[in-house]
Amino acid sequence: MDMNFKALTALVISGGTLLASCNNNTAPKEESKDSTATAATAGPRSFGQADGQEVLQYTLKNANGMEVKILNYGGTITDIITPDKQGQKGNVVLSYESLDGYQQKGQPYFGALVGRYANRIANAKFTLDGKEYKLAANNNGNTLHGGLKGFDKVVWTATPAGDSSLQLVYTSKDGEEGYPGNLQATVVYTLTPDNALQISYKATTDKATPINLTNHAYFNLSAGKDSTILGHELSLKASKYTPVNDKLIPTDKLDPVKGTPMDFNTAKKVGADIGKVNGGYDHNWVLDKKDGELETIATLYDPTSGRFMEVATTQPGIQFYTGNFLDGTLTGTRGGQKYVKNGALCLETQHFPDSPNQPSFPSVILKPGETFAQTTVYKFSVK
Ligand code: GLA
């Protein structure tokens, strides 16, 4: 693995110390009008209001000029600005001009933190310790991405730490969206000196609950130059995936990818075999890695711009989704771009879908006294 995780860990630990001493209430609310102002003096930008609270956009920067912009609304990544091989900077994630875009009906989770349970739970219910819990059926009779008002649609408490780190905290009440237990979730975004965006998630609860947290960024490494990602080259270190029924619920089998369109062990163009997959890719791959260890498990390359992204995670699975439901109709998009089918792709590091109902899958139950933790890193370069 080529990421320097010792350096990363040191940075995150020092970030934690900074977080403790930083008071969000005193942060300036407007971006400085003085373009020569340093990052340290530029505060978050006002981005509207949600649930009677101010929505702010925070900017993380590093010495290479890479920037990541994040909202306290949904912990949403609005911008990941990286250079192409010519040094021209561009935003590699799909985004909207304003908060209205993020709040429109059917908004497909652009850049958001997804929880309390990312992905699907079959028939919008599960049984835990002999008790049945009912959830919102917001996707073909199943629950998707936390229900009607998941973690993507709430305002988090944001605390920046210097230029390069932002901590977000959200307390989800016992019974919220049908889930048991008061759950405190903390997510820290850190932009490292070597152009990696680390997302570290932690959560605790006072009653046993299922949990699955991820980020739903839609990547298009051409930064708006190519309308689709079909020419991007993807690799996934996974020899198995979880096949699904017609409602995208895993069947409980782990099928080998060898000899199928699902095989990305050697990098290939996303468009190479997509026509052979009904509806496009929207599946969970079972990662070939040791559980809980941070390992690089995916790479994505856009030959035209030269942008290269490596994904490392501690999670056992990844949902690779090729924007099959994008159809060019979303409004308020950045620069008025049409986000067409396959206009971007998601690499959502996660536990397997429907795990609360699938005893053979790794457990997703968090108990009182335990801490849920997941770390995912998206690292950018050119070649
Ligand atoms: C996830 C799902 C997809 C789709 C998107 C949002 O990635 O797996 O089926 O629902 O979210 O549109």
Side-chain angles (χ1 to χ4, degrees), residues 203-220:
T204 53
T205 184
D206 61 5
K207 278 185 196 162
T209 178
I211 181 165
N212 194 20
L213 300 179
T214 194
N215 179 279
H216 209 304
Y218 283 69
F219 296 99
N220 181 326

Side-chain angles (χ1 to χ4, degrees), residues 109-154:
Y109 308 92
F110 280 9
L113 295 177
V114 183
R116 179 180 303 200
Y117 195 89
N119 215 307
R120 293 175 175 78
I121 296 181
N123 303 315
K125 61 181 184 188
F126 64 92
T127 300
L128 182 58
D129 296 333
K131 187 169 173 211
E132 185 176 274
Y133 293 90
K134 288 205 164 51
L135 309 168
N138 60 337
N139 188 263
N140 288 320
N142 305 313
T143 293
L144 177 67
H145 293 332
L148 298 177
K149 187 170 181 180
F151 289 10
D152 58 300
K153 296 181 184 66
V154 299

Side-chain angles (χ1 to χ4, degrees), residues 15 18 25 28 31 94 100 215 258 261 337 351:
L18 280 167
N25 298 332
E31 212 161 35
L94 301 195
D100 293 349
N215 179 279
K258 207 171 174 12
Q337 289 178 73
H351 266 262

